[in-house]
Amino acid sequence: MSVMNLVRSAISASHFQIEQTAFSKGMLDGSMTATNYSRGLVQLWHIHGTLESCATSCSEVTDFFTQEMIRTETIRRDLQAFGFNTGSFAPMIETIAIVEQMKDWALESPYAILGCIYILEGSRMGSLMIAKPLGKTLGLASGDVAGIEYHTEGAAGTPMRLRSFKENVDQANLGAAAETELIQGAVRFMDLLNTLYAALPMDSFPKQAQQLKTA
């Protein structure tokens, strides 16, 4: 079995769990507010910013990280669309744990960063399904992507981009030690993301949902 198939198998349970969190469900079922969504975006901005720094500073990883994988500026635009910025919400302790872990990996286990790239790029496949219901929940007009570009940007190329990344890693012959770092990094990163998503607040409903609830 290829290393990327091993990674996929290793994170399958955590992948299912993160889809069951209130935050993940809220993007699909109409219970997400712009404030709660933006708070989540800020956490992702910190995570992507750290990934971008680590991926471009680690020679072991640089060749696998492409321009299309840079997401921080996209998140900035989305936040601005809802009247927020990257300083509107503090990084949560769960986010800080992810950031610190990635920094440690960059110094000690750089191939673990490949596991982080795979998970965040793989999440863009889920974005293909999330974008439309999320836009509706957040009150965007049909076809308007201002505020949800994190899920729509580069969508047409997502399947091929992810496939190319996996093929490049599988064909790189990284060696047993590096592959172990990659797999363990992906598992740990996914577990940390699960903890973050479970902690993200979902304490209120959009105005339209509140009206339906009280009608």
Side-chain angles (χ1 to χ4, degrees), residues 19 24 44 61 68 76 119 150:
E19 291 178 339
S24 292
L44 289 172
V61 177
E68 294 81 8
R76 284 182 190 272
I119 288 170
Y150 182 74

Side-chain angles (χ1 to χ4, degrees), residues 94-207:
E94 294 82 4
T95 302
I96 294 171
I98 295 173
V99 166
E100 292 305 315
Q101 176 66 86
M102 293 169 73
K103 290 178 179 178
D104 287 345
W105 281 332
L107 295 174
E108 301 172 2
S109 305
Y111 290 102
I113 299 297
L114 288 178
C116 304
I117 296 173
Y118 169 65
I119 288 170
L120 291 176
E121 282 298 300
S123 73
R124 298 174 79 168
M125 293 295 289
S127 288
L128 300 178
M129 296 182 294
I130 289 170
K132 186 174 181 179
L134 176 61
K136 184 177 180 181
T137 291
L138 297 176
L140 304 185
S142 179
D144 185 4
V145 299
I148 60 168
E149 285 189 75
Y150 182 74
H151 298 288
T152 62
E153 185 178 60
T158 290
M160 180 58 71
R161 186 173 54 253
L162 182 61
R163 186 180 305 118
S164 295
F165 173 78
K166 293 191 293 183
E167 289 175 352
N168 290 339
V169 173
D170 281 334
Q171 295 168 9
N173 297 315
L174 299 177
E179 290 181 356
T180 297
E181 280 186 18
L182 196 169
I183 295 168
Q184 292 179 345
V187 170
R188 176 62 176 158
F189 186 69
M190 196 69 185
D191 286 343
L192 289 169
L193 280 179
N194 257 308
T195 301
L196 170 61
Y197 270 57
L200 286 168
M202 288 289 293
D203 52 5
S204 58
F205 294 91
K207 185 181 296 183

Side-chain angles (χ1 to χ4, degrees), residues 22-23 26-27 29-34 36-37 134 137-138 202 204 206:
F23 191 84
M27 289 188 283
D29 67 10
S31 62
M32 180 66 71
T33 66
N36 284 340
Y37 180 63
L134 176 61
T137 291
L138 297 176
M202 288 289 293
S204 58

